[in-house]
Amino acid sequence: MAKLLLYLTLATSLIPLFSVAFSPENPTDRRVLVLVDDFAIKSSHSLYFGSLTSRGFQLEFKLADDPNIGLQRYGQYLYDALVLFCPSVERFGGSIDVASIVDFVDSGHDLIVAADSNASDLIREVATECGVDFDEDPAAMVIDHINYAVSNFDGDHTLIASDDFIKADVILGSKKIEAPVLFQGIGHSLNPANSLVLKVLSASSSAYSANPKSKLSNPPSLTGSAISLVSVVQARNNARILITGSLSMFSNRSGVQKAGSSIKHEKSGNEQFLTEISKWVFHERGHLKAVNVRHHKVGESDEPAIYRINDDLEYSVEIYEWSGTSWEPYVSDDVQVQFYMMSPYVLKTLSTDQKGHYSAEFKVPDVYGVFQFKVEYQRLGYTSLSLSKQIPVRPYRHNEYERFLPAAYPYYGSAFSMMAGFFIFTIVHLYSK
Amino acid sequence: MYQRERERERERDYREEMARSTGKDAQALFHSLRSAYAATPTTLKIIDLYMGFAVFTALIQVVYMAIVGSFPFNSFLSGVLSCVGTAILAVCLRIQVNKDNKEFKDLPPERAFADFVLCNLVLHLVIMNFLG
């Protein structure tokens, strides 16, 4: 009995060491909760889920109104990411609701939301909290009479083929997506004043959002490329959210042929597009960390507590990018450091040695006070870096000024020449007859 | 008619003569000053030379400051005041040493020279302090 207890305590104490979860050292999400309307999605979307599990994610499938689900227990989050594939849910079960989902994202975790035609108000509310507005008409779908996908079933052109991707290698990978992406669902619009949302896949300029079954009585409110089919949000705490209006985009689909073009693609671009974008959403790409901020006077190596005006100093930082499995050096030529006190006195671009080490040398300005070394780095698709280190700057001590001023040499000369003249004059005056 | 012409001619002649005479007067004055100065004793002429050197140095410094600006203003003041102070002390020595000066008839020239030296020492001490 005692031995059993011993083994039990040993086993339970070792469990935390075995869980490889989301942490600053390993930013890729691991445990993902997938909420679905019914478990048939597991088979109809098996390709997508298969690609996730093959990359090492632990997916947990639960019904959206399952009364036992919860995101956190005793203050700790049980999952690193949440996937909502339940567009018609009216109320979440267990302890999940819109507020808890917003808290989940606010604590830095990632979210994927997929709506569909006739999406419930709850899913629309979740999307609105994230900064994306779906079309208010519940029966509206995105229709495109020019860029629809040629198919045997759909005759009302709601299955559209879109290839209007955002130009960002970080989000969509470096390989170009050749085939268009199939989409059938509702569209959303983004607030242009919101700087955190990005349109990853937008509808073409001939698309509009309307009810396909009824006649159009007044012009649709969402038209053209203002309609976004897939959007991402990168919050200020670097949580990433993917919002799309078509759950069937994730399903197993085969070839696609865009109307008006004669190219018939064997495979649609959905698989590549969704794989690459979920790599980005789950922090396998585009996640930066900055470590080892150091500054010192040129020629010395230790960090002083105070600088003097007109000192030469050197600032260095190391930036790494997470590649999915390890930290690789991040190489870029546009990282800048500011020497800031109410406004940047010095703004310098850091030079890199291609191995992730960035450094810059500059002269402390002729102003004393308390400055900060600030690095503010925000690039499309990358996590934002915001480093700041405070350092005071003092003026000259009384014995650090120049001793003899070159501008005053004539005055020094005249004073000494007067003394010499006085001396010569006294000799001449005394010894002349 | 003729009378007025003759009046104008007379006026013109009168003015020319006045101009010539003022010119001649100025020249005569200048000559008398030079000959009188040549008669001063050599001692006084040496003091005058010394004073001229001091004033010249002061003028150079003022022109330099006008060009470059008054940045080390204390140095400028110190330089100019050393020249001006030297000139003033030289003037005082000249007054006291001049034998034609009835006010200082009873003052021995050695005493005047000793005062001059002491005052110059104090002047140069102050100047070196203020020069920076």
Side-chain angles (χ1 to χ4, degrees):
Chain A
M1 189 60 199
K3 261 199 181 175
L4 188 67
L5 214 60
L6 185 69
Y7 285 142
L8 209 63
T9 43
L10 215 66
T12 46
S13 60
L14 288 174
I15 281 177
L17 292 173
F18 289 133
S19 63
V20 184
F22 173 76
S23 67
E25 283 311 306
N26 187 347
T28 307
D29 303 328
R30 285 279 152 251
R31 304 164 299 174
V32 183
L33 173 64
V34 184
L35 294 182
V36 296
D37 278 335
D38 65 77
F39 285 117
I41 289 185
K42 270 169 89 166
S43 53
S44 65
H45 294 59
S46 58
L47 276 181
Y48 179 66
F49 294 129
S51 76
L52 286 183
T53 41
S54 72
R55 295 209 305 273
F57 291 98
Q58 296 160 17
L59 304 176
E60 212 173 297
F61 292 89
K62 291 263 165 58
L63 284 178
D65 42 17
D66 187 340
N68 295 328
I69 50 177
L71 285 174
Q72 56 171 335
R73 193 190 300 155
Y74 307 131
Q76 279 203 327
Y77 282 106
L78 301 165
Y79 305 99
D80 303 321
L82 177 61
V83 176
L84 295 177
F85 277 175
C86 44
S88 60
V89 66
E90 295 293 335
R91 243 182 85 238
F92 287 113
S95 61
I96 299 187
D97 59 352
V98 179
S100 70
I101 293 177
V102 171
D103 282 340
F104 186 69
V105 172
D106 280 346
S107 64
H109 299 94
D110 306 318
L111 175 66
I112 294 184
V113 180
D116 213 341
S117 60
N118 291 314
S120 68
D121 282 338
L122 190 58
I123 291 290
R124 285 169 199 269
E125 201 181 322
V126 170
T128 313
E129 289 287 339
C130 299
V132 149
D133 298 309
F134 281 111
D135 196 354
E136 280 166 6
D137 185 355
M141 291 175 74
V142 180
I143 302 174
D144 194 340
H145 293 299
I146 298 181
N147 291 319
Y148 60 94
V150 172
S151 91
N152 301 327
F153 314 111
D154 289 322
D156 52 3
H157 301 165
T158 53
L159 180 68
I160 55 181
S162 168
D163 50 8
D164 213 348
F165 303 110
I166 189 178
K167 289 188 183 30
D169 277 355
V170 189
I171 301 180
L172 291 178
S174 44
K175 204 156 90 86
K176 183 165 152 27
I177 302 176
E178 302 290 344
V181 169
L182 289 171
F183 181 94
Q184 185 173 31
I186 54 179
H188 53 266
S189 66
L190 309 173
N191 189 351
N194 191 343
S195 60
L196 302 172
V197 298
L198 295 167
K199 239 193 291 194
V200 175
L201 184 66
S202 59
S204 70
S205 40
S206 54
Y208 63 96
S209 173
N211 190 344
K213 294 188 183 43
S214 66
K215 271 173 74 128
L216 268 182
S217 47
N218 29 350
S221 50
L222 278 183
T223 54
S225 45
I227 301 180
S228 172
L229 305 175
V230 178
S231 314
V232 296
V233 181
Q234 176 158 286
R236 290 195 182 90
N237 60 354
N238 296 325
R240 292 173 174 173
I241 306 171
L242 171 73
I243 300 176
T244 174
S246 165
L247 181 56
S248 54
M249 190 175 64
F250 293 85
S251 66
N252 309 343
R253 279 188 185 266
S254 59
V256 61
Q257 181 184 8
K258 202 164 153 173
S261 95
S262 55
I263 309 173
K264 198 171 155 68
H265 300 270
E266 284 282 324
K267 237 164 79 134
S268 66
N270 287 38
E271 197 182 321
Q272 185 187 356
F273 174 71
L274 293 171
T275 309
E276 295 296 328
I277 206 172
S278 35
K279 273 191 198 166
W280 185 82
V281 171
F282 292 136
H283 288 273
E284 276 178 67
R285 197 169 46 214
H287 188 97
L288 301 175
K289 80 169 175 182
V291 290
N292 229 350
V293 169
R294 282 193 353 250
H295 58 88
H296 55 91
K297 271 196 240 204
V298 169
E300 299 175 16
S301 64
D302 54 344
E303 220 173 78
I306 189 169
Y307 281 110
R308 197 202 66 200
I309 57 173
N310 297 331
D311 262 347
D312 289 308
L313 63 78
E314 188 181 328
Y315 176 87
S316 70
V317 67
E318 290 174 19
I319 303 181
Y320 295 105
E321 185 182 354
W322 179 250
S323 69
T325 46
S326 63
W327 290 103
E328 302 292 321
Y330 175 67
V331 176
S332 155
D333 57 355
D334 57 357
V335 188
Q336 289 180 322
V337 65
Q338 300 175 7
F339 201 55
Y340 175 93
M341 174 167 73
M342 312 273 269
S343 71
Y345 281 82
V346 174
L347 182 69
K348 224 157 182 266
T349 308
L350 299 168
S351 59
T352 174
D353 68 344
Q354 311 294 332
K355 289 196 190 47
H357 184 261
Y358 292 83
S359 66
E361 268 182 38
F362 56 90
K363 205 178 179 61
V364 175
D366 201 0
V367 179
Y368 58 89
V370 178
F371 284 85
Q372 291 173 27
F373 288 108
K374 266 184 150 178
V375 172
E376 304 273 343
Y377 190 68
Q378 279 133 13
R379 293 287 174 272
L380 186 74
Y382 287 101
T383 56
S384 50
L385 293 177
S386 194
L387 314 165
S388 114
K389 199 159 192 183
Q390 206 177 60
I391 187 78
V393 169
R394 66 166 173 85
Y396 283 118
R397 286 201 199 99
H398 73 285
N399 59 354
E400 283 175 347
Y401 289 97
E402 288 170 20
R403 182 62 187 92
F404 299 112
L405 296 166
Y409 282 171
Y411 308 126
Y412 303 155
S414 88
F416 287 115
S417 79
M418 281 298 122
M419 291 167 70
F422 160 67
F423 188 67
I424 294 171
F425 168 74
T426 58
I427 295 175
V428 167
H429 187 258
L430 286 177
Y431 293 110
S432 74
K433 287 295 166 272
Chain B
M1 250 241 314
Y2 268 146
Q3 265 200 337
R4 225 170 286 152
E5 249 195 54
R6 252 177 274 142
E7 272 181 29
R8 264 186 251 127
E9 248 191 66
R10 246 178 275 150
E11 270 187 53
R12 227 179 292 130
D13 288 340
Y14 179 67
R15 262 187 257 121
E16 280 177 20
E17 205 187 299
M18 286 309 289
R20 254 179 273 132
S21 69
T22 39
K24 270 193 245 147
D25 282 345
Q27 274 196 348
L29 185 65
F30 191 57
H31 279 307
S32 69
L33 276 178
R34 271 182 91 177
S35 51
Y37 188 68
T40 57
T42 322
T43 317
L44 298 183
K45 279 203 203 141
I46 292 174
I47 297 182
D48 288 338
L49 191 65
Y50 177 55
M51 212 161 49
F53 156 68
V55 170
F56 174 67
T57 315
L59 280 176
I60 292 181
Q61 283 172 88
V62 170
V63 168
Y64 174 77
M65 189 214 83
I67 295 173
V68 166
S70 67
F71 163 51
F73 195 56
N74 58 323
S75 307
F76 162 69
L77 282 182
S78 171
V80 167
L81 283 180
S82 78
C83 302
V84 168
T86 307
I88 291 171
L89 292 177
V91 164
C92 296
L93 182 68
R94 191 183 198 276
I95 291 174
Q96 293 179 341
V97 159
N98 197 354
K99 294 189 193 58
D100 298 331
N101 202 338
K102 291 176 202 55
E103 201 183 333
F104 290 100
K105 201 161 41 111
D106 297 326
L107 186 74
E110 291 80 18
R111 162 82 197 277
F113 183 71
D115 282 343
F116 172 73
V117 167
L118 282 174
C119 292
N120 259 313
L121 284 178
V122 171
L123 174 73
H124 285 113
L125 183 73
V126 170
I127 291 302
M128 288 317 292
N129 218 341
F130 201 55
L131 200 54

